[in-house]
Amino acid sequence: MNVLTCISGGSRLRGYQSDLKIRARNRFLEGVRRVLVQLVTGGGKTNLAEDILRDAEARGSVAWFVAHRDNLITQAARRFRGAGLNVGVIKAGHKYQREILIQVASIQSLQSRFGRVQAPDLIFIDETHHALSPSYLKLFEAFPEARVIGLTGTPWLLDGRGLDEVFEVMETGPKPSWMIEQGFLLPSRVFGSRRKLAMVSPTNGGDFDLERAEQILSKSEVCGDAVEMFRDRFPERGRGITFTCSVAHARQVAKAYIAAGVPAEILTGETPELEREAIIERLVSQETRQLVVIDCASEGFDLPELDCATLMRPSASLTLVLQQMARAIRPVFAPGYDLETREGRLSAILASSKTHATIIDCCSNTLRHGIPELDHEWSLEAQDKKTRAASKTEDGETLAVRQCLECYAVHPSAPVCPICDHEHPVESRIPKARAEELREIEKAELERLQKERQTKRRQEEAGQKTLEDWLQIARERGYKPGWAYQRHKLRQGRRKAA
């Protein structure tokens, strides 16, 4: 089956999603085999995949949706089946059904089944920022004729590598600022900690040491601050998700919430599916008001009812931090409005109980990476250190935001805080690259001055003949008389030798 015919012009998508679909199809028509589609988290990447998969099924094409986590596979299969698609699952514990055209597949399970499955015409890669891992590279090698659509909100890798190692072109969706203006996503209010924590710097190309971070966060009063900030903003109603460093850290945080009268539960990657569903149901009903998680809800966790995301896991990864904050930026529309229009969506947001997302940042992640509404210029190419340093200070903070010292809000860089109207002092931060440049200039200038000083001294000393001449120089330079005697003696010795 020609995969180009499985992406039709008809659509049940939003306008910007249809545009991305058409652009991806046109790339395939040009002969491109691997297209990366970037769409901000919350913009509906799964909607886009569902629509294209429906086209593929209608035309008899074999299409896969490949993910790397069990919960992503379970959620995708449930979502596609709920939309009326006939979906199989390629995963341990599931029987492979060859006659089913649409398969949701575990990348781990595929490794041993390449020769036993029907070759796909089209492959979706969910969370494509993982696509440079060996398991995905083996997948591309096993099915070189398949067209590939990568889906991600953040085509950015912690080690600076570029996704052009795998993908030929990238089609980017709307910027976060536009999505907020159009009522597809919510604006955010971000509040940082009033405490500066002495985190150990990330390793080169790596992330923070979470064991060390947990020790620092556990010993500080940050946990109490986070609980207090959440309770102050959501005293009786409101749901939140808190990202932590480890199971032990999650237990400590959950215990603090409960002690403050905020019902909380812990969710890990090992939580059984039925228990996970029950926990989420209690969160939706607000029987539970805080979900404390450990590296299991950053990706593919879609619960628009979440009002607040609390960051208690430091990270050097822009991708991870943006994904965590995005858990709270999806709108909940009040009924009775036309959601097909911008005016209708914005009115539905204003009439709802959730007019903005709240982000509580306890470990300076937003100072390092920015806030959800910041626009980014994405590229498939690798980023060198100079490129990354151009927008960061030497402390690793992004120059795109600043923190108010009155209300501790983190907001786009501006002279006045938009939350409390506090006027900031004049901005004194400079990019790391500029600081390094200034140090090089200072170093060169210092070396020049040292050479000039040495030359001047040699010229002064060249004309000295008597001991009194040397004593006069010693007095001018603040030297002891012994220096003059030694220099005079040395000069006399050289003259006799000559």
Side-chain angles (χ1 to χ4, degrees):
M1 172 62 64
N2 184 350
V3 72
L4 301 181
T5 65
C6 80
I7 306 181
S8 70
S11 178
R12 292 157 292 277
L13 301 173
R14 294 171 175 171
Y16 65 84
Q17 294 168 331
S18 293
D19 177 61
L20 282 171
K21 175 181 176 180
I22 292 169
R23 282 192 273 152
R25 182 177 187 273
N26 289 341
R27 290 297 193 175
F28 287 153
L29 288 170
E30 293 169 2
V32 172
R33 288 197 174 276
R34 297 178 189 163
V35 179
L36 189 150
V37 172
Q38 182 277 329
L39 181 57
V40 61
T41 303
K45 292 181 289 294
T46 308
N47 287 354
L48 176 60
E50 175 196 312
D51 197 75
I52 296 175
L53 289 172
R54 182 178 285 107
D55 293 343
E57 183 181 51
R59 288 165 171 76
S61 295
V62 177
W64 292 355
F65 186 90
V66 182
H68 67 294
R69 287 181 183 263
D70 287 349
N71 65 304
L72 297 179
I73 295 159
T74 301
Q75 290 172 18
R78 181 184 299 151
R79 165 70 180 272
F80 297 149
R81 286 168 178 161
L85 297 176
N86 185 21
V87 176
V89 176
I90 302 175
K91 180 178 174 292
H94 293 258
K95 183 180 178 181
Y96 173 60
Q97 296 171 284
R98 188 179 183 88
E99 70 279 5
I100 296 180
L101 297 174
I102 308 301
Q103 299 283 341
V104 177
S106 159
I107 186 61
Q108 293 84 1
S109 297
L110 279 174
Q111 301 301 297
S112 60
R113 305 187 189 191
F114 288 153
R116 296 185 284 127
V117 294
Q118 188 176 4
D121 300 301
L122 176 66
I123 301 174
F124 278 97
I125 305 297
D126 193 27
E127 306 296 351
T128 300
H129 42 273
H130 298 289
L132 298 189
S133 66
S135 56
Y136 282 102
L137 296 179
K138 290 177 183 177
L139 172 65
F140 301 142
E141 183 180 351
F143 302 104
E145 298 302 313
R147 263 47 176 217
V148 178
I149 297 178
L151 300 172
T152 185
T154 50
W156 183 99
L157 301 181
L158 184 58
D159 61 8
R161 295 170 67 190
L163 285 166
D164 57 353
E165 294 182 27
V166 170
F167 291 94
E168 298 165 69
V169 296
M170 176 170 64
E171 296 295 341
T172 58
K175 302 290 188 184
S177 58
W178 184 88
M179 295 287 285
I180 293 169
E181 290 170 1
Q182 295 297 314
F184 292 117
L185 296 176
L186 293 178
S188 66
R189 291 186 180 179
V190 183
F191 298 93
S193 174
R194 65 177 183 269
R195 309 175 194 278
K196 287 289 185 181
L197 303 181
M199 293 290 178
V200 178
S201 299
T203 58
N204 188 25
D207 211 340
F208 288 92
D209 181 337
L210 291 186
E211 289 187 12
R212 175 60 180 154
E214 180 188 344
Q215 292 172 1
I216 295 171
L217 290 165
S218 298
K219 291 179 180 179
S220 71
E221 296 176 303
V222 172
C223 182
D225 291 345
V227 172
E228 181 182 349
M229 281 193 283
F230 177 79
R231 193 176 58 177
D232 287 348
R233 286 162 178 78
F234 305 97
E236 296 180 358
R237 306 283 293 177
R239 311 166 188 84
I241 185 169
T242 299
F243 297 92
T244 60
C245 298
S246 69
V247 173
H249 188 210
R251 288 174 181 154
Q252 178 197 19
V253 173
K255 184 177 179 181
Y257 277 122
I258 293 169
V262 178
E265 294 189 71
I266 296 172
L267 187 68
T268 76
E270 305 302 318
T271 303
E273 185 62 28
L274 290 178
E275 183 180 346
R276 175 189 178 93
E277 292 177 0
I279 291 173
I280 293 174
E281 286 178 5
R282 288 192 288 272
L283 184 66
V284 172
S285 69
Q286 299 204 56
E287 182 182 346
T288 290
R289 295 216 296 132
Q290 265 290 345
L291 190 62
V292 185
V293 302
I294 310 98
D295 280 347
C296 65
S298 300
E299 299 171 329
F301 187 87
D302 299 333
L303 189 64
E305 291 82 0
L306 283 171
D307 300 283
C308 178
T310 300
L311 314 181
M312 295 191 72
R313 180 216 190 277
S315 181
S317 170
L318 171 66
T319 294
L320 180 63
V321 172
L322 289 180
Q323 287 183 325
Q324 290 180 347
M325 292 190 292
R327 298 312 113 198
I329 65 174
R330 290 169 171 80
V332 177
F333 297 111
Y337 295 89
D338 182 5
L339 301 184
E340 297 301 315
T341 67
R342 175 179 181 270
E343 291 74 16
R345 290 188 295 271
L346 293 177
S347 296
I349 290 172
L350 288 175
S352 74
S353 61
K354 181 184 176 184
T355 58
H356 64 272
T358 299
I359 310 295
I360 298 173
D361 179 14
C362 301
C363 44
S364 301
N365 280 339
T366 53
L367 295 179
R368 278 186 286 273
H369 303 295
I371 57 180
E373 43 264 79
L374 285 184
D375 295 335
H376 296 269
E377 296 299 327
W378 302 113
S379 172
L380 284 179
E381 298 178 358
Q383 290 190 18
D384 57 28
K385 292 181 179 179
K386 288 185 177 180
T387 302
R388 293 193 175 190
S391 61
K392 296 281 185 89
T393 69
E394 290 193 286
D395 293 332
E397 294 184 358
T398 175
L399 293 164
V401 300
R402 67 187 306 173
Q403 183 175 19
C404 176
L405 298 181
E406 287 293 320
C407 68
Y408 300 102
V410 179
H411 61 84
S413 289
V416 177
C417 173
I419 303 298
C420 71
D421 294 328
H422 171 69
E423 292 189 13
H424 298 298
V426 176
E427 177 69 273
S428 61
R429 299 177 301 169
I430 61 174
K432 179 181 179 181
R434 178 58 178 162
E436 293 174 346
E437 179 183 338
L438 289 175
R439 274 199 300 276
E440 288 298 319
I441 293 173
E442 290 172 357
K443 180 181 177 182
E445 180 66 10
L446 180 61
E447 290 176 350
R448 184 186 67 79
L449 291 174
Q450 287 176 337
K451 287 181 179 179
E452 286 183 357
R453 188 160 51 246
Q454 290 172 355
T455 300
K456 182 179 179 181
R457 288 184 175 184
R458 283 196 295 268
Q459 291 173 346
E460 288 176 347
E461 294 174 8
Q464 309 310 309
K465 297 180 179 179
T466 67
L467 176 60
E468 183 55 36
D469 292 336
W470 287 104
L471 287 170
Q472 179 61 31
I473 290 180
R475 285 191 291 270
E476 291 173 355
R477 296 181 182 177
Y479 294 168
K480 293 181 179 180
W483 176 84
Y485 287 112
Q486 290 291 334
R487 297 296 294 175
H488 177 65
K489 183 177 179 181
L490 179 62
R491 178 67 61 84
Q492 292 296 106
R494 287 176 179 171
R495 288 177 178 173
K496 289 180 180 179

